[in-house]
Amino acid sequence: QVQLVESGGGLVQPGGSLRLSCVASINMFRIYTVGWYRQAPGKQRELVATITSGGSTNSADSVKGRFTISRDNAKNTVYLQMNSLKPEDTAVYYCNFPQLPDYWGQGTQVTVSS
């Protein structure tokens, strides 16, 4: 059974920063690509960023230059550093293994508002 626990969300003003964490209970965490996704009210879930087992990263155009994904394999944890936050970044953020698409955590709410 794979479990994912996201944390680090909250209320932040525009221009602020947050760091999200996702801890995964899975064997061989280091071999998996991990992604951060988000879902805003009334919208479909969208991919935000991914990081491969080798550390290669990719991110959506909407967050390029502002969000950074990283991982600590020793802690089975993936992070999302979010800077220069905008109101349109408001969403519930989830992590997921693209190779194991059925497993999702409860998500963490990020609200960007003044």
Side-chain angles (χ1 to χ4, degrees), residues 18-110:
L18 284 173
R19 188 194 195 204
L20 306 184
S21 300
C22 170
V23 180
S25 62
I26 185 172
N27 290 329
M28 306 293 285
F29 170 84
R30 66 182 184 278
I31 71 171
Y32 290 99
T33 294
V34 190
W36 279 99
Y37 300 75
R38 66 186 180 186
Q39 187 166 19
K43 294 187 177 182
Q44 288 190 334
R45 191 170 296 180
E46 63 174 352
L47 179 63
V48 175
T50 58
I51 184 166
T52 68
S53 59
S56 296
T57 63
N58 200 1
S59 57
D61 288 343
S62 59
V63 306
K64 276 191 193 316
R66 300 188 298 122
F67 291 10
T68 302
I69 188 171
S70 61
R71 66 191 297 164
D72 185 338
N73 290 334
K75 297 181 179 179
N76 276 26
T77 301
V78 62
Y79 303 98
L80 187 68
Q81 177 67 44
M82 305 187 297
N83 299 327
S84 303
L85 282 160
K86 304 176 181 180
E88 52 263 43
D89 295 318
T90 295
V92 179
Y93 284 71
Y94 303 87
C95 61
N96 175 261
F97 297 98
Q99 296 134 301
L100 303 171
D102 291 338
Y103 298 100
W104 294 90
Q106 83 290 346
T108 185
Q109 175 71 49
V110 172

